[in-house]
Amino acid sequence: MPMIHFEPVPRSIRVSDLLALLQTVGGLDRQRVGRIELRGGSATVEVPEGWQFRLARVLDGQVLGNRPVRVWAERAERSNPAGEDHFQRLARLLELEGAAEARQAAERARRLSPADAERSGTTLIDLVLVDEDSGLGGRRLWSLSKRTRAPLPWTTLDVGSPVVLSEEAKRPGAPLRGVVFRRDESTIGVAMATSDDDPGDHATWRLDLGDDQVSFQRQRSALERAAAARGDRTAKLRDVLLGEREPAFSAESDEPPLDPGLNAAQQQAVRLALAARDVALIHGPPGTGKTTAVIELIRRAVRRGERVLACAPSNMAVDNLLLRLVAARERVVRLGHPARVLPELREHTLDLLVESHPDVRLARKLVKQALGLFRQAARYTRAKPEPGARQATRQEARALLADARRLENQAVAHLLDTADVLCATTTGLDSEVLGTRHFDLAVIDEACQSVEPGCWIPLLRCDRVVLAGDHCQLPPTVISPEAVAEGLGISLFERLMARFGPSIARQLTVQYRMNEAIMAFPSREFYTDTLLADPSVRGHCLSDLPGVRATPLTEMPIEFIDTAGAGFDEEIEPDGESRLNREEAALVARKVRELLDAGLAAADLAVIAPYGAQVRLLRELLPVAGLEIDSVDGFQGREKEAVVISLVRSNAGGEIGFLSDIRRMNVAMTRARRKLLMIGDTATLCTHPFYQRLIENLESQSAYRTVWEEAS
């Protein structure tokens, strides 16, 4: 029989608890369940053929023993000792993911009209060129806006997104590929390699999200190299990360922190990470200063004479590290496309540092001289040149070009070798740039947002690694349902936490973001009630902010408005697949305007909805400058003084879709500092135990009321 895996499983869980979960949530008759094995914080269950992937999708993220549990399916043939090893499985799942992305893009192009494609958030149409410039390491920069000069619609295209630019008139010619380097309300900037294409005075353009084949190739290559390693440091580290050897630690040092503001939990996490000989984890729940601890770790490692590779899966997370390291005056270089870096940090990118290096300025002069010599050798003259003169001129030009390349390579090598810290995305490490350079320590921040293959790229270049993240928040984004069911969505951080637990990890416990009332339920549900609100935030509320009037709405830190029985029914977006709830959106808009009327600045307020269709509807209802309205994913790692959450789902069948991934709600609820307002239909939501417990908790705080009370 096929097997499904559960991790982590609390030691108090019994076979009967797993059977109850399989039956009540998974819909599988317990008589059809095969062998169940509980061992060391994990469990395996035999299930009928054809059920494994469905159960994995339904059960993944459910609470078992007051903790979210990860569930994935195992293909039947993998039980054969001659089947896939760990890296072969990851490579196969990576291929599934790549194929799913390609199918999704092809299906979107085939099925959706241009207008529908734009509504999906992955396309912008009817664009015109409003400005053209050069920069960012010699790249060509286009600024595009709507032909009507209207604001850009909601889109997932953001700084760092790979994009494909094609002319809507479909003139012959290949589409242009580039990277978004800037976006504001009305324009989007795209950086491309230098080309001679004439944009045309009246051309209109379409911008589509592109794929990133380079990233996939680097991940596949890293998996192959990790599997093939023999007798070196990579092989030893690999054996630890696969659980074949126990991680080793040196004695912890009690040296004082460089940052005197670190709390005791942060200092403990840094001490453990510095003592790790192989791997350590820093578990940072929302608002607990995880990146602050990571920066302390990097700086302390540099003081010990170590070279550090600092990575994260997203450009935004890497820039966050870079910004703090620059502020601490560390010698740091940012790798990667300058267009993917915040404008204020681009001067620290390798491309622009190289361009300003004296050797490279000399190299540019040599190139100009070489090109002049080539033109001279090719020029027709009346006088017959001396025998061998043209050949000698070309040879001199080639020598100048060789000198120019040598100077450029020397400049790059000098910049890389004199930096104490190199910063890059996990998939942005280019072997052509880095060569064989190796690092004493690799630090991967936001590690839970990366699929495991992405982490193996920096792992090949380090002696030891520290992963920082929170496996109780959003997992890596994986499109392929089969790849998700077989575990591609389980990050390396999460797998190591389940395998080794507290022996290699320290959790941060003091949070500096949320009012204690907002923190209480997530702390109990996801972090075994271990979070403590720092006194600076424990009781703060909106009415404490300058210019905000004291009203019941601004004085109460957390509220839930229940729309059950009010006829606020969800619907499918016309000509789309996403969901919206018009009546609920109107109520959200009314509450947002109440907050703004009370004096809250629009920039301090966010509206979060789990569905793109609801996001688009709310943006139409609330065209307020500075107000951010986005999906849960768009607010990962961010915070606002006040957050309003529209939960959307309201139907007779009690179906809640991907709201059943409760980690998504953990992220949404923990973005708020002083005010959290949730609006939803408990008759639908409370078919899930998590939302039932949420409502019970809010009722105990007198923070629950119905839409009927709201109207009275």
Side-chain angles (χ1 to χ4, degrees):
M1 297 174 71
M3 289 191 292
I4 56 174
H5 296 261
F6 294 75
E7 285 184 352
V9 174
R11 297 188 183 278
S12 60
I13 291 300
R14 298 169 296 177
V15 168
S16 60
D17 298 317
L18 282 168
L19 284 171
L21 184 68
L22 288 162
Q23 184 168 3
T24 57
V25 180
L28 177 63
D29 191 317
R30 63 174 59 203
Q31 300 301 319
R32 303 185 63 191
V33 178
R35 180 168 49 91
I36 297 179
E37 288 188 7
L38 291 165
R39 57 180 184 276
S42 65
T44 57
V45 180
E46 290 184 337
V47 298
E49 184 68 48
W51 277 77
Q52 66 269 36
F53 299 122
R54 181 169 67 175
L55 287 170
R57 285 194 295 271
V58 171
L59 299 178
D60 187 39
Q62 296 292 323
V63 173
L64 188 62
N66 293 321
R67 289 193 63 185
V69 64
R70 298 308 312 272
V71 183
W72 71 95
E74 182 175 286
R75 295 166 69 95
E77 61 266 26
R78 284 178 54 208
S79 61
N80 185 335
E84 297 173 310
D85 65 20
H86 181 74
F87 295 102
Q88 289 170 334
R89 182 180 69 87
L90 288 178
R92 178 175 56 80
L93 298 184
L94 199 62
E95 294 294 337
L96 287 175
E97 177 66 4
E101 286 192 11
R103 282 196 306 272
Q104 185 183 72
E107 175 65 15
R108 188 166 56 240
R110 182 189 65 80
R111 180 176 55 83
L112 297 181
S113 67
D116 289 339
E118 185 170 72
R119 279 196 293 270
S120 75
T122 61
T123 298
L124 290 172
I125 61 173
D126 199 26
L127 300 174
V128 294
L129 181 66
V130 294
D131 190 26
E132 183 177 8
D133 201 355
S134 62
L136 303 177
R139 294 171 176 86
R140 189 176 183 181
L141 309 180
W142 281 13
S143 290
L144 301 136
S145 73
K146 282 288 190 177
R147 182 170 50 83
T148 60
R149 299 301 193 267
L152 296 176
W154 173 80
T155 180
T156 60
L157 301 178
D158 208 343
V159 174
S161 297
V163 290
V164 176
L165 189 65
S166 53
E167 191 174 348
E168 289 180 323
K170 295 184 173 61
R171 291 192 308 178
L176 302 175
R177 289 187 174 270
V179 173
V180 176
F181 72 90
R182 175 185 47 76
R183 196 190 83 188
D184 55 34
E185 289 187 358
S186 59
T187 64
I188 187 165
V190 179
M192 299 169 292
T194 302
S195 73
D196 297 325
D197 289 12
D198 179 7
D201 293 334
H202 306 289
T204 59
W205 298 84
R206 169 174 170 150
L207 198 63
D208 290 281
L209 180 65
D211 56 6
D212 194 350
Q213 288 300 315
V214 173
S215 171
F216 274 100
Q217 182 54 45
R218 287 175 180 166
Q219 292 178 78
R220 285 192 292 265
S221 177
L223 294 175
E224 292 170 0
R225 290 179 57 196
R230 296 291 184 275
D232 58 7
R233 181 56 190 156
T234 294
K236 294 176 181 177
L237 183 58
R238 175 198 63 202
D239 292 346
V240 171
L241 299 180
L242 293 183
E244 296 172 3
R245 285 199 307 118
E246 290 295 314
F249 290 84
S250 303
E252 292 187 16
S253 170
D254 59 355
E255 61 188 272
L258 297 172
D259 182 351
L262 261 63
N263 62 48
Q266 289 171 320
Q267 293 185 47
Q268 290 171 7
V270 173
R271 284 198 295 268
L272 179 77
L274 287 169
R277 294 183 180 179
D278 304 297
V279 61
L281 308 180
I282 298 177
H283 179 200
T288 54
K290 169 182 58 63
T291 303
T292 300
V294 167
I295 295 300
E296 175 77 12
L297 165 64
I298 293 172
R299 296 182 66 204
R300 294 267 289 276
V302 169
R303 298 303 179 276
R304 299 198 314 193
E306 298 182 348
R307 296 199 68 213
V308 181
L309 179 60
C311 295
S314 71
N315 285 286
M316 183 178 294
V318 176
D319 284 349
N320 191 23
L321 293 174
L322 178 63
L323 184 65
R324 298 190 186 205
L325 289 168
V326 168
R329 300 185 180 278
E330 300 296 337
R331 291 187 299 182
V332 57
V333 171
R334 171 71 152 94
L335 305 180
H337 198 309
R340 292 185 163 106
V341 180
L342 291 174
E344 60 268 30
L345 295 173
R346 284 177 187 153
E347 64 184 280
H348 302 284
T349 61
L350 181 62
D351 286 45
L352 298 192
L353 287 170
V354 167
E355 286 296 323
S356 61
H357 195 280
D359 286 353
V360 174
R361 287 199 292 269
L362 174 57
R364 296 292 178 263
K365 293 180 181 178
L366 295 179
V367 170
K368 286 185 179 179
Q369 292 177 29
L371 294 176
L373 289 172
F374 278 124
R375 286 192 295 270
Q376 178 182 329
R379 191 176 300 129
Y380 175 82
T381 60
R382 290 180 178 273
K384 184 178 181 181
E386 292 291 329
R390 289 186 177 180
Q391 181 179 355
T393 302
R394 293 190 181 103
Q395 186 171 348
E396 182 183 356
R398 285 192 287 269
L400 289 174
L401 289 177
D403 286 342
R405 283 193 294 270
R406 178 178 52 79
L407 288 170
E408 288 180 354
N409 292 338
Q410 286 178 356
V412 170
H414 174 75
L415 290 166
L416 294 178
D417 292 338
T418 56
D420 293 320
V421 186
L422 296 185
C423 291
T425 60
T426 49
T427 58
L429 296 173
D430 187 347
S431 293
E432 291 186 11
V433 174
L434 285 176
T436 59
R437 287 175 178 82
H438 202 77
F439 300 83
D440 302 289
L441 172 66
V443 177
I444 305 178
D445 197 14
E446 303 296 355
C448 296
Q449 295 179 41
S450 171
V451 292
E452 183 172 333
C455 289
W456 280 99
I457 302 174
L459 284 169
L460 295 173
R461 293 185 175 272
C462 69
D463 288 336
R464 65 189 198 282
V465 63
V466 174
L467 306 174
D470 181 13
H471 54 295
C472 299
Q473 296 188 60
L474 288 178
T477 300
V478 180
I479 294 173
S480 166
E482 186 175 0
V484 170
E486 291 194 57
L488 186 60
I490 297 173
S491 66
L492 176 62
F493 183 105
E494 190 171 5
R495 182 169 67 75
L496 293 174
M497 180 69 82
R499 172 64 180 83
F500 296 113
S503 67
I504 68 166
R506 292 292 182 270
Q507 181 193 319
L508 307 182
T509 54
V510 181
Q511 67 86 16
Y512 300 90
R513 176 185 299 165
M514 294 167 276
N515 181 293
E516 192 171 36
I518 299 172
M519 177 199 74
F521 182 73
S523 177
R524 181 187 310 172
E525 195 74 15
F526 295 97
Y527 308 108
T528 60
D529 220 8
T530 55
L531 297 188
L532 300 170
D534 185 75
S536 63
V537 302
R538 186 175 298 153
H540 67 180
C541 57
L542 288 180
S543 58
D544 297 330
L545 292 172
V548 177
R549 289 186 292 105
T551 69
L553 188 62
T554 62
E555 290 181 319
M556 185 174 288
I558 185 169
E559 294 179 82
F560 190 103
I561 300 177
D562 186 3
T563 65
F568 288 16
D569 295 332
E570 67 182 68
E571 58 185 274
I572 301 290
E573 183 181 35
D575 302 320
E577 298 177 350
S578 190
R579 296 175 186 271
L580 54 86
N581 189 317
R582 298 183 188 277
E583 292 81 5
E584 183 175 292
L587 178 56
V588 168
R590 190 163 81 245
K591 303 308 292 184
V592 165
R593 295 197 182 279
E594 284 184 34
L595 288 168
L596 297 175
D597 290 344
L600 181 66
D604 290 331
L605 174 60
V607 181
I608 298 177
Y611 291 91
Q614 189 78 343
V615 169
R616 290 187 281 277
L617 175 59
L618 286 165
R619 288 186 174 190
E620 292 175 5
L621 295 176
L622 291 165
V624 179
L627 174 65
E628 289 193 69
I629 305 173
D630 212 333
S631 64
V632 179
D633 302 59
F635 282 101
Q636 172 93 339
R638 302 177 59 210
E639 61 184 54
K640 290 284 187 175
E641 298 293 350
V643 171
V644 180
I645 303 175
S646 172
L647 292 164
V648 180
R649 299 309 297 263
S650 179
N651 55 76
E655 299 174 1
I656 64 171
F658 58 73
L659 286 182
S660 60
D661 184 351
I662 57 177
R663 291 165 300 175
R664 190 171 297 275
M665 274 304 295
N666 184 33
V667 172
M669 294 171 64
T670 56
R671 302 308 95 196
R673 290 175 49 80
R674 301 168 187 263
K675 174 73 178 187
L676 173 64
L677 173 60
M678 294 172 280
I679 300 176
D681 178 356
T682 60
T684 298
L685 297 169
C686 289
T687 56
H688 193 290
F690 171 85
Y691 295 96
Q692 180 65 48
R693 293 192 296 271
L694 171 62
I695 296 304
E696 291 170 357
N697 177 271
L698 293 170
E699 287 177 330
S700 71
Q701 298 186 59
S702 300
Y704 165 88
R705 68 178 189 276
T706 69
V707 70
W708 311 108
E709 297 171 79
E710 172 69 18
S712 62

